[in-house]
Amino acid sequence: MIDHAHDLGAVRGATERLLDAVGKLDNASVGGASRLPGWSRGHVLAHLSRNADALGNVLRGLPMYASSETRDADIDAGAPRPAAEQLTDLRESADRFLAVAAEPADWSRTVTLRNGVTDSAARVPFRRWVEVELHHVDLGVGYELEDLPAEFVEREIAFLADRFLGNEAVPATGLTDLDGRTWSTGGGPPSELVTVQGPAVELLGWLCGRRDGAALTVAGGPLPALPPL
């Protein structure tokens, strides 16, 4: 059962950690390279701000973005801004999202996200939580996957495993962390099952494309190649 109110609280906490970190950056740091290929930290921050507004649009029943081209142009336009402007935009856009989420609503309704993807409105706060946590890591400012809340790590593994479930381009794959928790993903023949074991943080890093999987133990075949998110 999705608890959107709980997840909104988690978004607030993650946002405060992010704002605290960004508040310590100067203009040169914001203009420096992030861990995402081709993106500066300014690109990551502009994306986070526009994503907050976009998910607010989703909750209002509006298109998430006017178009993919507009989304990309807004990120590129916002990337070169100085640190103070980035911080203000990040804070104000986060506040706008939380204000929309505080409005009375039917959280069981289906909403439409980017590229026609649909989901329950109740999962939108978790999607924002994902954006804030993972892109905080992408900034490369000292916040690592190991710093993510344990609840987030477990739920994001489950979310990503479900995302690739049934995808025939990914072998049938069983995931197990060091605590014995298991997940299934992929869509290949069960007879060709690949098993992947390791720390939960390393499983998450591989699933979300932030780690290469070298710290994982693989049996039944090579480590599966995952489609881009």
Side-chain angles (χ1 to χ4, degrees):
M1 194 73 177
I2 303 169
D3 185 346
H4 72 276
H6 168 81
D7 289 349
L8 286 170
V11 170
R12 291 186 187 93
T15 300
E16 286 305 315
R17 290 191 293 274
L18 176 65
L19 289 170
D20 182 64
V22 175
K24 298 172 182 175
L25 301 180
D26 58 19
N27 292 343
S29 297
V30 167
S34 76
R35 292 174 174 174
L36 295 178
W39 270 19
S40 68
R41 293 190 182 98
H43 283 90
V44 175
L45 296 174
H47 164 62
L48 279 166
S49 295
R50 300 290 70 77
N51 173 264
D53 288 333
L55 290 177
N57 288 339
V58 168
L59 291 178
R60 287 193 171 103
L62 301 171
M64 187 169 180
Y65 297 100
S67 67
S68 293
E69 292 77 16
T70 299
R71 169 191 176 273
D72 295 345
D74 285 345
I75 293 171
D76 286 340
R81 295 174 300 174
E85 288 186 29
Q86 295 280 11
L87 182 62
T88 297
D89 191 15
L90 192 65
R91 180 184 294 110
E92 292 180 351
S93 60
D95 288 346
R96 288 193 294 269
F97 169 75
L98 291 171
V100 174
E103 297 173 1
D106 173 14
W107 286 94
S108 67
R109 72 192 186 280
T110 298
V111 295
T112 302
L113 295 111
R114 192 179 175 206
N115 299 325
V117 173
T118 59
D119 203 351
S120 166
R123 203 192 300 271
V124 171
F126 179 72
R127 287 179 175 271
R128 177 59 183 173
W129 190 12
V130 172
E131 293 287 327
V132 174
E133 293 285 18
L134 293 185
H135 286 315
H136 191 168
V137 173
D138 292 334
L139 288 174
V141 292
Y143 191 71
E144 304 296 342
L145 294 178
E146 286 77 9
D147 297 311
L148 296 170
E151 177 199 352
F152 174 83
V153 171
E154 181 177 1
R155 288 180 59 188
E156 179 65 350
I157 290 173
F159 182 80
L160 292 173
D162 185 66
R163 180 168 182 165
F164 299 126
L165 192 63
N167 188 325
E168 295 183 358
V170 179
T173 305
L175 310 173
T176 305
D177 73 1
L178 298 183
D179 292 325
R181 293 173 295 191
T182 62
W183 301 267
S184 296
T185 194
S191 59
E192 300 176 10
L193 179 70
V194 176
T195 60
V196 180
Q197 298 178 303
V201 165
E202 296 294 344
L203 289 171
L204 172 60
W206 168 62
L207 286 167
C208 71
R210 268 71 178 182
R211 300 240 170 121
D212 62 8
L216 300 171
T217 301
V218 186
L223 185 68
L226 300 175
L229 294 175

